[in-house]
């Protein structure tokens, strides 16, 4: 059995990535693939409980990082690795790039700490393709304020999201083959043409 592939969607809150999650899944299903759609933090019953805490309870920045990786370990063990092993493709709304962007870029935790947790939990595992939805901070802010009630992350200052965005772009520069940057100011149709192209290259 050929293992499935792992695709992640990333971007600052308000970049619009969630809009494209269903498109990615439908496109892959159209190719006859079994597709699992999931998200982080979350994706398992325990992970969803941790998500509630992460999004709504105040906590120390390192606690936040450790809980993100606790949820990720469970996600990998219970859902992601078994699904890929049986040949399903997995599409996740966020993964470890978000920890580098938010906990390292946003909160200022040292990259080395995140790298230790990544090595521990992932043991070399990484997404096959990451779509990074990039928008300037003011566009993301306008989209966030038009959306529903803000969670703990969405209440952060604009400067926080600028750091998150820059950390994402730094990662994309370091891994241009895996992380594909999409200008998310463009129309949904234009973006989806590009996404289909990238999926075609992977399939
Ligand atoms: P998301 O699902 O994008 O939020 P929403 O449901 O509002 O669209 O992500 C939840 C939040 O979690 C988001 O603000 C980013 C944050 N996050 C981190 O800080 N680190 C991480 O490792 C992950 C996976 C998410």
């Amino acid at each position: 059995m050929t293992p499935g592939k792992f695709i992640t969607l990333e971007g600052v809150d308000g970049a619009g990535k969630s809009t494209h999650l269903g498109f990615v899944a439908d496109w892959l299903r159209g190719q006859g693939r079994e597709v699992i759609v999931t998200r982080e933090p979350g994706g398992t019953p325990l992970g969803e409980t941790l998500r509630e805490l992460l999004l709504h309870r105040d906590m120390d920045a390192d606690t936040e990082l450790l809980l993100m990786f606790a949820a990720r370990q469970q996600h990998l063990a219970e859902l992601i690795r078994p699904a890929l092993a049986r040949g399903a493709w997995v599409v996740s709304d966020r993964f470890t790039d978000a920890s580098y962007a938010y906990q390292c870029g946003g909160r200022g935790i040292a990259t080395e700490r995140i790298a230790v947790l990544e090595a521990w939990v992932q043991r070399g595992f990484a997404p096959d393709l990451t779509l990074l939805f990039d928008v300037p901070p003011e566009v993301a802010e306008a989209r966030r304020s038009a959306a529903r009630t803000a969670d703990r992350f969405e209440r952060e200052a604009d400067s926080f999201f600028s750091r998150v965005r820059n950390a994402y772009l730094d990662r994309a520069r370091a891994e241009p083959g895996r992380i594909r940057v999409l200008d998310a100011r463009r129309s949904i149709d234009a973006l989806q043409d590009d996404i289909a192209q990238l999926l075609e290259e992977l399939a």
Side-chain angles (χ1 to χ4, degrees):
M1 169 66 75
T2 320
K5 295 203 169 166
F6 183 45
I7 301 175
T8 60
L9 278 65
E10 299 283 358
V12 298
D13 294 272
K17 73 189 158 40
S18 303
T19 313
H20 301 285
L21 195 66
F23 174 81
V24 171
D26 289 344
W27 192 93
L28 294 170
R29 287 192 184 109
Q31 308 283 302
R33 313 223 175 253
E34 184 197 348
V35 180
I36 308 284
V37 176
T38 187
R39 66 174 179 181
E40 288 211 348
T44 65
L46 178 65
E48 291 294 325
T49 301
L50 293 173
R51 179 186 177 93
E52 274 307 301
L53 298 173
L54 280 160
L55 265 50
H56 303 293
R57 288 279 289 273
D58 285 337
M59 63 183 77
D60 174 79
D62 284 309
T63 308
E64 179 181 284
L65 173 65
L66 291 165
L67 288 180
M68 290 291 179
F69 272 93
R72 184 161 298 136
Q73 167 62 28
Q74 192 63 29
H75 198 197
L76 282 161
E78 187 176 330
L79 188 132
I80 299 174
R81 291 191 199 271
L84 295 174
R86 70 166 189 270
W89 285 44
V90 178
V91 184
S92 185
D93 191 343
R94 301 192 185 282
F95 193 64
T96 302
D97 294 306
S99 300
Y100 282 99
Y102 283 77
Q103 280 66 52
C104 178
R107 304 267 190 242
I109 296 178
T111 316
E112 298 73 47
R113 292 203 161 186
I114 302 184
V116 167
L117 294 170
E118 181 183 26
W120 179 354
V121 165
Q122 291 169 226
R123 293 173 270 135
F125 175 85
D128 295 287
L129 171 68
T130 297
L131 303 174
L132 173 55
F133 293 87
D134 181 59
V135 283
E138 61 279 9
V139 176
E141 157 58 18
R143 290 185 186 169
R144 278 197 302 277
S145 46
R148 73 232 171 294
T149 339
D151 62 37
R152 204 163 61 80
F153 292 98
E154 290 160 344
R155 286 196 299 271
E156 288 291 341
D158 291 355
S159 56
F160 176 88
F161 289 105
S162 296
R163 294 196 302 276
V164 171
R165 179 197 192 200
N166 290 335
Y168 268 132
L169 291 173
D170 284 347
R171 286 189 67 72
R173 273 189 288 273
E175 281 189 71
R178 171 175 70 87
I179 306 181
R180 309 302 295 259
V181 183
L182 296 159
D183 179 348
R185 283 172 304 183
R186 296 159 60 223
S187 73
I188 291 179
D189 283 352
L191 279 163
Q192 292 184 344
D193 285 348
D194 285 2
I195 295 169
Q197 181 88 42
L198 291 169
L199 294 174
E200 196 107 45
E201 288 169 19
L202 193 65

